[in-house]
């Protein structure tokens, strides 16, 4: 039987005509699938912070793996594998930057890695209210920025360094004006000190300096007296009157005899009732034993306290003590006999409440 030589070529041609469309369809399928997956990796929301604000901190010197572990530990990344793929694609492994970053709800991988690789940090709102001791200040600041408590305390305790700023270990807390400051988490201890000095200089306007000079006080002395006023009353409307009492005493050459300075000298901040044994404690901060202002502030005074000293109420009061109604306000007196009567009522109220310490 003879074989038709045209059968094989035609069949092959037909088979080729069938394969090419199939390959095109397969290619288009793969292309669409890859494009869709690529789109998902790049743009699909991969951060879910709907329930809570989430921040990631990446320490100075952190490796790529440490940075990625920190991000994943936030537990708001939906697809960790796609995030790592995008991170490698954007060379984040070579561009890790330290900082504190807020992860925004709905961010895609590209947006997240883009923020991290350029170091676009979220500022920290730095505050330091209710601080008494220099060491407490270091502890408070260290909770807000990357600098350690030891690094901060080292500067706050360095007399030679503090002298370059115009302070010493007793007065340095007055350089910190309580306010809310935006700083970056990566701010170093020296950078923070320089920033606080800048803010201090900005706070002490020509007007405030002039008022201090009229009172015969330096800026540091104003802060020291303000810290006593702040420790005496939590009532802002009463602070100018309390400040007036202490200024009257200073002008008359009397000892301040401020109970909060004794508490600070003893370093027992649980004391509610200052006793004779406390008054005998020998310390330059004990204003019952030593005339004039103590060496430095007994806390970090806030702006209302500083301005109360700079704008004191003019009166003739020399004495004051807490009111027996425990309202937080005080009874003021011009004469010692009036003061003794006020003090007796308060002491009786303390005894009635069994407050012996």
């Amino acid at each position: 039987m003879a074989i038709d030589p045209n059968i094989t070529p035609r069949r092959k041609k037909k088979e080729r005509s069938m394969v090419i469309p199939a390959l095109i369809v397969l290619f288009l399928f793969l292309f669409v699938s890859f494009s869709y997956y690529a789109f998902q990796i790049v743009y699909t929301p991969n951060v879910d912070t709907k329930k809570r604000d989430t921040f990631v901190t990446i320490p100075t010197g952190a490796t790529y793996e440490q940075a990625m572990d920190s991000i994943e530990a936030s537990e708001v990344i939906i697809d960790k594998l796609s995030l790592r793929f995008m991170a490698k694609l954007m060379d984040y492994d070579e561009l890790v930057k330290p900082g504190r970053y807020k992860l925004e709800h709905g961010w895609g991988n590209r947006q997240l890695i883009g923020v991290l690789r350029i170091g676009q940090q979220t500022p920290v709102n730095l505050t330091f209210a209710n601080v008494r001791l220099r060491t407490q200040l270091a502890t408070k600041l260290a909770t807000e920025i990357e600098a350690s408590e030891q690094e901060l305390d080292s500067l706050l305790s360095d007399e030679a360094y503090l002298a370059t700023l115009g302070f010493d270990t007793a007065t340095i807390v007055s350089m910190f004006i309580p306010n809310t400051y935006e700083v970056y988490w990566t701010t170093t201890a020296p950078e923070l000190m320089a920033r606080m000095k800048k803010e201090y200089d900005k706070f002490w306007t020509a007007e405030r300096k002039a008022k201090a000079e009229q009172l015969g006080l330096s800026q540091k002395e104003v802060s020291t007296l303000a810290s006593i006023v702040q420790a005496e009353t939590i009532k802002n409307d009463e602070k100018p009157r309390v400040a007036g009492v202490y200024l009257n005493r200073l002008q008359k050459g009397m000892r301040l005899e401020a109970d909060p300075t004794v508490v600070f000298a003893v370093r027992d901040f649980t004391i509610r009732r200052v006793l004779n044994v406390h008054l005998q404690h020998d310390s330059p901060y004990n204003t019952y034993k030593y005339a004039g202002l103590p060496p430095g502030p007994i806390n970090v005074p806030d702006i209302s306290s500083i301005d109360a000293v700079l704008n004191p109420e003019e009166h003739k009061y020399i004495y004051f003590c807490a009111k027996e109604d425990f309202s937080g306000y005080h009874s003021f007196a011009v004469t010692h006999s009036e003061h003794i009567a006020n003090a007796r009522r308060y002491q009786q109220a303390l005894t009635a409440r069994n407050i012996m310490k």
Side-chain angles (χ1 to χ4, degrees):
M1 179 179 175
I3 299 175
D4 185 349
N6 294 321
I7 293 178
T8 301
R10 281 200 300 270
R11 185 176 295 169
K12 288 182 179 180
K13 185 176 181 180
K14 184 178 180 181
E15 289 174 353
R16 283 199 300 269
S17 65
M18 294 175 63
V19 168
I20 291 174
L23 289 174
I24 292 174
V25 170
L26 178 61
F27 173 78
L28 289 174
F29 174 77
L30 292 174
F31 177 77
V32 171
S33 298
F34 178 79
S35 298
Y36 177 70
Y37 183 64
F39 180 86
Q40 284 187 311
I41 290 175
V42 176
Y43 296 108
T44 299
N46 199 28
V47 177
D48 181 6
T49 60
K50 188 181 294 184
K51 295 182 180 179
R52 57 186 171 86
D53 286 344
T54 302
F55 296 87
V56 168
T57 53
I58 299 174
T60 298
T63 65
Y64 167 73
E65 284 299 331
Q66 289 170 332
M68 294 305 295
D69 286 345
S70 296
I71 298 165
E72 292 173 359
S74 67
E75 297 183 347
V76 297
I77 303 302
I78 300 168
D79 185 350
K80 296 177 182 179
L81 182 61
S82 69
L83 177 66
R84 284 182 173 265
F85 181 84
M86 194 67 201
K88 285 288 188 178
L89 195 64
M90 295 179 68
D91 297 325
Y92 180 57
D93 53 335
E94 299 177 4
L95 296 168
V96 174
K97 291 181 175 63
R100 173 181 179 269
Y101 305 92
K102 183 179 181 181
L103 305 187
E104 297 289 354
H105 182 72
W107 269 0
N109 291 327
R110 184 175 181 274
Q111 191 170 10
L112 171 56
I113 299 301
V115 166
L116 296 174
R117 73 199 293 270
I118 64 173
Q120 187 178 322
Q121 295 188 58
T122 305
V124 173
N125 289 324
L126 181 67
T127 60
F128 37 80
N130 302 318
V131 173
R132 289 193 181 97
L133 304 172
R134 190 180 69 243
T135 52
Q136 290 178 331
L137 182 59
T139 302
K140 174 65 176 175
L141 295 173
T143 63
E144 306 285 353
I145 61 175
E146 185 180 22
S148 69
E149 181 179 342
Q150 292 72 25
E151 290 173 316
L152 291 161
D153 189 56
S154 176
L155 291 183
L156 292 169
S157 306
D158 187 336
E159 291 283 11
Y161 169 74
L162 295 179
T164 66
L165 300 175
F167 298 88
D168 56 31
T169 53
T171 60
I172 185 57
V173 295
S174 64
M175 188 181 79
F176 292 79
I177 306 296
N179 217 326
T180 300
Y181 303 99
E182 277 197 353
V183 301
Y184 289 123
W185 182 73
T186 50
T187 300
T188 65
E191 287 172 343
L192 181 63
M193 294 293 284
R195 169 70 183 280
M196 291 299 99
K197 178 60 164 63
K198 181 179 179 181
E199 296 293 345
Y200 175 84
D201 292 339
K202 186 188 301 183
F203 171 80
W204 279 98
T205 61
E207 182 182 2
R208 284 193 172 103
K209 288 178 180 178
K211 288 181 177 181
E213 188 175 355
Q214 289 175 358
L215 294 172
L217 300 175
S218 68
Q219 293 170 205
K220 299 184 193 69
E221 288 173 332
V222 169
S223 293
T224 297
L225 183 52
S227 73
I228 297 174
V229 171
Q230 180 162 300
E232 289 283 17
T233 180
I234 61 173
K235 306 295 186 180
N236 287 342
D237 59 338
E238 191 182 55
K239 287 179 179 180
R241 179 170 293 186
V242 173
V245 170
Y246 285 124
L247 287 168
N248 287 345
R249 282 181 163 266
L250 287 173
Q251 289 169 3
K252 292 178 178 292
M254 299 173 65
R255 293 177 183 174
L256 295 184
E257 297 186 352
D259 286 0
T261 66
V262 178
V263 173
F264 184 86
V266 176
R267 293 294 199 276
D268 182 356
F269 300 111
T270 65
I271 294 174
R272 293 281 304 279
R273 191 171 186 173
V274 175
L275 306 174
N276 285 332
V277 64
H278 302 133
L279 300 182
Q280 301 309 311
H281 185 80
D282 190 20
S283 166
Y285 286 91
N286 185 346
T287 56
Y288 277 83
K289 291 181 70 72
Y290 296 95
L293 291 165
I298 60 174
N299 55 52
V300 177
D302 60 31
I303 293 174
S304 67
S305 299
I306 296 172
D307 282 342
V309 173
L310 294 175
N311 302 278
E313 182 180 307
E314 293 186 12
H315 53 62
K316 295 183 179 180
Y317 295 132
I318 299 296
Y319 309 95
F320 70 97
C321 74
K323 281 193 171 184
E324 65 275 10
D325 61 1
F326 297 97
S327 63
Y329 284 98
H330 294 77
S331 298
F332 294 82
V334 175
T335 67
H336 189 257
S337 59
E338 290 174 339
H339 174 61
I340 291 299
N342 292 335
R344 187 176 293 116
R345 286 195 297 271
Y346 179 63
Q347 294 294 331
Q348 290 171 347
L350 286 175
T351 301
R353 292 196 178 195
N354 199 31
I355 300 175
M356 306 303 296
K357 182 180 178 181

